[in-house]
Amino acid sequence: MPQNLYAEDPEPSEPVPAGPLFVPVRPGPAGWTARLFRTPLGGRTAVGFTSAQRLSAVLGAGQPWIRLAEPALRALTEPVGATVLTVDPRPGPEVRRVSHLRAV
């Protein structure tokens, strides 16, 4: 009888879509554009939140946002080099707001 070789299920090979997200935006020359941030290692990342309350807790109540599906956000940000999507980022314990994500 074969034994189970894994103590846990392996990690999925494909990321699961995050669904509709609250995406921080800023005004641009042609209307609103998604804000991009930097990861702690300096890479570009798009950011989405699963609720307006989570977005406000991290970026402040005055931060404008739009709702976008995860594939739409990726399609908008990948051409400008943001190939990573960070969902529900949290500020570090030693700082308030998003110091570990710098606006690009």
Side-chain angles (χ1 to χ4, degrees):
M1 193 158 126
Q3 293 181 343
N4 187 358
L5 300 177
Y6 301 102
E8 298 178 13
D9 289 336
E11 292 294 320
S13 59
E14 292 294 323
V16 177
L21 296 169
F22 294 82
V23 178
V25 295
R26 62 179 175 77
W32 294 95
T33 187
R35 285 184 63 187
L36 298 179
F37 295 86
R38 297 265 180 202
T39 66
L41 298 176
R44 293 179 111 185
T45 183
V47 172
F49 294 85
T50 54
S51 72
Q53 293 79 16
R54 288 180 185 221
L55 183 144
S56 294
V58 175
L59 298 176
Q63 173 61 56
W65 53 267
I66 60 171
R67 293 290 305 264
L68 282 177
E70 179 263 341
L73 179 55
R74 286 185 185 277
L76 286 172
T77 58
E78 284 179 352
V80 294
T83 58
V84 174
L85 171 60
T86 304
V87 177
D88 288 332
R90 290 178 278 173
E94 68 280 350
V95 273
R96 64 179 188 86
R97 300 276 181 240
V98 183
S99 64
H100 68 280
L101 294 175
R102 297 188 316 260
V104 177

